[in-house]
Amino acid sequence: MSKAKQLRERLAKQGLTHVMAAHSPLSAVLAEEAGFDGLWASGFELSALYGLPDMSLVSMTQHLDMLRAIAGRSSLPIVADIDTGYGNAINVVHTIAEYERAGAAAVVIEDKTFPKVTSLAAGGRQELLRVEEFQGKVEAAIGARTDPDFLVIARTEALIAGLGEEEALTRAKAYEDAGADMILIHSKKKDPAEIESFARAWKGNVPLTIVPNAYPELDAARIEALGNIRMVIYGNYGIRAATTAMQEVFRRIISDRGVQNVHKDIVPVEEVFRLQGMERVKADEKLYLR
Ligand code: SPV
Ligand code: MG
């Protein structure tokens, strides 16, 4: 079964599909072990991994290389964050072919202009494409996929750009009309009321997905109560968790003038061996090294 079909089958089942951001194969392995249904190949997380802002600075090649590495170490379907699709509708045709080949099960493409600015930054410059132009990009993505199960998720940034619910609904409907399989609606309001209001007002046929980064109190129970949100993407929690852990440990090593204390509070190297697949190597050594 293709990963895209696997994702569609999970979406068709009861309950929310929980998708965790992964910025590396190791984080993907940890997400799978924790029990997530899918992985989010996040542009924000990969940019942060490179120490760069999420502003179309990381190339498609860099993102694809990471996606391939993640796909090689996880059995979960991957939802790829392709930002604006790396250009116009013609670029999108090429982009979809590349992401399908790299092992993605779905893409999320957003209606901002290139180069994009990360959505959550206060005062960020948020410019949106004309609706017709973005419809062309969605149609190009649908036309380019070879696996009919591969999902094309259209993301509107109308709320992020401060254009209001009416504009967000109009755009979401236009993108559904263009063939999108799902709509990602994003908000940077700390209060989830904006997203809840949009979800209640959405009368389209395709389901919604959200990324509750700015409004963390919208938990699974509240999301499920809305009825039409089928997938939740935990968009920046992997890189924030890694940053928290490294900041704390690195600072303690400096203040303790050594590793004599922190070593008790972090995983032993054997746990990293396990995650690296050392057991398999040991078995293979016995079999093949003569
Ligand atoms: C990402 O994780 O790259 C996203 C979600 O697009 S956000 O950063 O909140 O826009
Ligand atoms: Mg992104």
Side-chain angles (χ1 to χ4, degrees):
M1 191 200 310
S2 76
K3 292 286 177 65
K5 191 160 180 55
Q6 189 182 326
L7 181 58
R8 281 197 190 253
E9 289 196 352
R10 175 62 195 87
L11 285 163
K13 281 194 198 143
Q14 193 101 42
L16 288 173
T17 298
H18 298 275
V19 175
M20 175 48 81
H23 54 263
S24 65
L26 178 63
S27 60
V29 170
L30 296 174
E32 183 161 0
E33 288 189 350
F36 287 94
D37 302 303
L39 300 168
W40 170 237
S42 158
F44 178 86
E45 292 221 356
L46 189 61
S47 302
L49 191 71
Y50 279 101
L52 291 170
D54 182 17
M55 296 177 74
S56 303
L57 299 175
V58 169
S59 71
M60 180 164 83
T61 304
Q62 286 171 301
H63 196 239
L64 281 167
D65 280 348
M66 184 56 80
L67 194 139
R68 276 187 215 101
I70 288 172
R73 292 290 290 126
S74 177
S75 66
L76 293 180
I78 303 172
V79 181
D81 176 10
I82 63 168
D83 285 353
T84 62
Y86 302 98
N88 66 17
I90 304 307
N91 297 73
V92 169
V93 172
H94 173 67
T95 300
I96 296 300
E98 291 290 316
Y99 277 81
E100 243 198 304
R101 221 183 349 258
V107 291
V108 170
I109 181 168
E110 65 195 52
D111 59 359
K112 290 211 286 240
T113 54
F114 179 91
K116 59 156 280 181
V117 175
T118 194
S119 302
L120 303 187
R125 174 180 48 78
Q126 304 294 348
E127 288 161 12
L128 268 51
L129 285 188
R130 285 179 301 106
V131 172
E132 298 72 23
E133 190 176 352
F134 192 69
Q135 281 183 309
K137 291 174 83 166
V138 172
E139 284 169 25
I142 304 284
R145 68 182 170 197
T146 58
D147 179 353
D149 289 319
F150 184 87
L151 285 117
V152 174
I153 303 171
R155 163 171 167 174
T156 182
E157 294 280 284
L159 299 178
I160 295 285
L163 300 177
E165 184 172 294
E166 272 316 303
E167 179 70 15
L169 287 165
T170 303
R171 283 179 173 262
K173 186 74 189 80
Y175 306 159
E176 178 185 356
D177 291 346
D181 297 298
M182 290 178 90
I183 300 294
L184 190 157
I185 181 71
H186 206 21
S187 165
K188 63 179 171 194
K189 292 261 164 71
K190 301 232 171 350
D191 182 343
E194 186 173 58
I195 283 290
E196 289 182 310
S197 171
F198 178 94
R200 287 194 190 101
W202 173 242
K203 300 290 178 259
N205 295 312
V206 299
L208 303 174
T209 181
I210 59 168
V211 191
N213 286 348
Y215 45 90
E217 63 272 34
L218 195 66
D219 64 5
R222 270 177 79 172
I223 296 168
E224 275 165 353
L226 293 164
N228 52 8
I229 299 175
R230 300 290 308 137
M231 184 161 83
V232 183
I233 296 172
Y234 301 98
N236 58 28
Y237 287 84
I239 202 80
R240 285 168 62 196
T243 302
T244 305
M246 283 192 272
Q247 275 180 337
E248 195 202 320
V249 168
F250 294 176
R251 283 173 187 157
R252 280 177 67 196
I253 293 170
I254 289 292
S255 65
D256 294 351
R257 306 188 70 238
V259 292
Q260 66 278 16
N261 295 323
V262 293
H263 85 99
K264 298 190 282 303
D265 299 331
I266 58 179
V267 295
V269 72
E270 288 74 18
E271 171 62 358
V272 182
F273 288 163
R274 186 186 70 79
L275 295 164
Q276 287 173 304
M278 278 292 284
E279 259 172 50
R280 168 79 195 268
V281 174
K282 289 278 166 213
D284 284 350
E285 276 179 353
K286 284 203 185 92
L287 283 174
Y288 307 125
L289 292 186
R290 292 171 199 159

